Amino acid sequence: MTSAFLYAAARTPFGRFGGALAEVRPDDLASTALQGVLGKTPDLDPAAIGDVVWGCANQAGEDNRNVGRMAVLLAGLPVSVPATTVNRLCGSSLDAAMIASRTIESGDADIVVAGGVESMTRAPWVLPKPSRAFPAGNVTAVSTTLGWRLVNDNMPAEWTVSLGEANEMLGDKFGISRERQDEFAARSHNLAASAWDAGFYDSLVVPVAGLSRDEGIRPGSTASKLAALKPSFRPTGTITAGNASPLNDGASALVLGSSDAATRIGRAPLARIAGRGVSAVEPPMFGYAPVEAADRALARAGITWSDVSAVELNEAFAVQSLACVDAWGIDPAIVNAAGGAIAIGHPLGASGGRILGTLAERLRTSGDRWGVAAICIGVGQALAVVLENVS
């Protein structure tokens, strides 16, 4: 079986909810990311792309009807390039990359593009279709931006609590203080700002709609400033708007291929997909699910945490990130060294591609060999990928 390699990564800047990217349709965001990553492989004939696997969590509005295929057509790729859209909520684009890597390993294709998109700003309200014609009563429109919607009455109520309440429960379980969460969040903002100022993201980000830098980063954040924010989910809780990821818009894209595809792609690979892991837990504990997913990916790569020099863990909430880092027993300094989702943003379907591309760039610039990308997923799941630097 051949190995799968990551050759190129690109993403749009991540915009704030209702911010600079609010007027950009999600299929156009996806097209921009796709054009951006292919712009890094100018020698690649797009007709040689065996498949496009695209992630999207919502798919209830302008991102409906296979947004991956829409992105291919809008980006001007040959109509012969196929595409599919996958949905594993927050992990959708990392799932897309994992599917792409398996496709390459199995020999079904030599070159696959993966990625994902989300416009949380433009997520529509939806109405349930009535079971009979001409109902006389009122119907409530439900927001599709985030979280549970149109919940099945047969689902246990304790499983359908809000994402914030679920993470308050996680904080209670592991005794993670508000102070630690605020310190972690401030670190995320300051590291992201420093990484941008140092030019780390210049080669990874493709401007769109006049936005060239992630919109939500707050340089100079401190734990003491964040401590002034009120809890968002419990009157005496620990989770605030400052120590959780915001709502965002954005897209990410990756070019993957076999070793033999290097000549056609026109560049050497950055990293090998060395291990993959997926795990599931009870839905309210979703934030802790990356622990097992990453451990499984490491085992499949044949290495241990002592070999790992870089970790990209999607920061859905500071509390769940801290719970995972504590469980792994790793040095927090290797986690999200260029900032994380609390600062950069978390447009659900795009975040997995962002962390995998960022991880490859961190390994390339540092020269370190091994890295892990991991992401928690609502309704109790997680994904992880181990990269081996070959740049």
Side-chain angles (χ1 to χ4, degrees):
M1 183 177 291
T2 188
S3 292
F5 295 86
L6 175 61
Y7 281 84
R11 66 175 177 90
T12 69
F14 286 177
R16 287 194 301 237
F17 185 84
L21 302 184
E23 299 300 318
V24 185
R25 288 173 55 114
D27 46 4
D28 287 326
L29 286 174
S31 169
T32 299
L34 185 54
Q35 290 173 319
V37 79
L38 293 179
K40 301 177 77 169
T41 58
D43 293 338
L44 172 62
D45 178 359
I49 298 171
D51 204 358
V52 173
V53 187
W54 208 257
C56 184
N58 199 346
Q59 304 183 44
E62 296 157 336
D63 48 11
N64 77 93
R65 296 301 193 220
N66 192 358
V67 69
R69 175 62 173 170
M70 302 304 172
V72 164
L73 298 175
L74 289 167
L77 274 64
V79 296
S80 60
V81 177
T84 188
T85 301
V86 299
N87 187 347
R88 205 190 287 255
L89 301 181
C90 305
S92 295
S93 54
L94 193 59
D95 203 14
M98 293 166 71
I99 292 168
S101 67
R102 295 187 193 105
T103 301
I104 293 160
E105 290 171 357
S106 69
D108 284 350
D110 274 341
I111 302 168
V112 181
V113 174
V117 66
E118 209 74 50
S119 175
M120 300 179 81
T121 298
R122 298 175 74 90
W125 292 278
V126 298
L127 294 174
K129 185 175 285 188
S131 57
R132 59 183 175 84
F134 313 118
N138 296 325
V139 179
T140 300
V142 178
S143 172
T144 65
T145 300
L146 181 70
W148 293 84
R149 80 249 347 207
L150 305 176
V151 178
N152 191 315
D153 289 339
N154 293 320
M155 193 72 72
E158 63 270 22
W159 285 1
T160 63
V161 298
S162 71
L163 302 179
E165 174 58 24
N167 277 272
E168 289 283 12
M169 294 164 62
L170 189 66
D172 290 345
K173 180 179 178 69
F174 292 104
I176 298 173
S177 69
R178 165 78 182 269
E179 291 73 20
R180 284 190 70 196
Q181 294 175 54
D182 288 343
E183 288 169 359
F184 185 87
R187 171 185 182 270
S188 183
H189 282 282
N190 291 315
L191 287 175
S194 296
W196 269 107
D197 291 344
F200 174 84
Y201 286 113
D202 290 352
S203 65
L204 286 173
V205 175
V206 181
V208 58
L211 185 67
S212 58
R213 184 165 173 155
D214 298 313
E215 195 175 15
I217 300 170
R218 299 180 184 276
S221 292
T222 65
S224 60
K225 291 178 182 178
L226 293 174
L229 297 176
K230 294 181 179 179
S232 299
F233 301 98
R234 294 181 183 176
T236 58
T238 64
I239 297 175
T240 72
N243 59 34
S245 63
L247 307 178
N248 297 95
D249 310 326
S252 62
L254 309 158
V255 174
L256 295 97
S258 66
S259 59
D260 292 340
T263 301
R264 279 181 291 164
I265 292 172
R267 62 184 296 171
L270 298 170
R272 179 175 69 92
I273 309 297
R276 296 174 295 256
V278 59
S279 66
V281 295
E282 59 272 27
M285 292 295 106
F286 74 93
Y288 195 67
V291 174
E292 183 63 24
D295 287 346
R296 291 177 181 178
L298 287 168
R300 287 164 184 156
I303 63 171
T304 67
W305 280 111
S306 63
D307 299 302
V308 175
S309 301
V311 175
E312 285 294 314
L313 172 63
N314 193 61
E315 299 167 355
F317 294 83
V319 65
Q320 61 83 206
S321 300
L322 288 165
C324 292
V325 172
D326 290 350
W328 291 325
I330 58 176
D331 181 357
I334 72 172
V335 179
N336 301 349
I342 289 173
I344 294 168
H346 181 21
L348 307 180
S351 289
R354 177 191 73 80
I355 62 172
L356 197 62
T358 301
L359 179 63
E361 181 66 8
R362 284 181 59 193
L363 293 174
R364 186 192 70 80
T365 56
S366 69
D368 292 319
R369 182 176 180 184
W370 297 104
V372 174
I375 192 165
C376 68
I377 301 166
V379 201
Q381 296 190 87
L383 297 172
V385 171
V386 174
L387 289 185
E388 181 186 17
N389 180 17
V390 297
S391 64

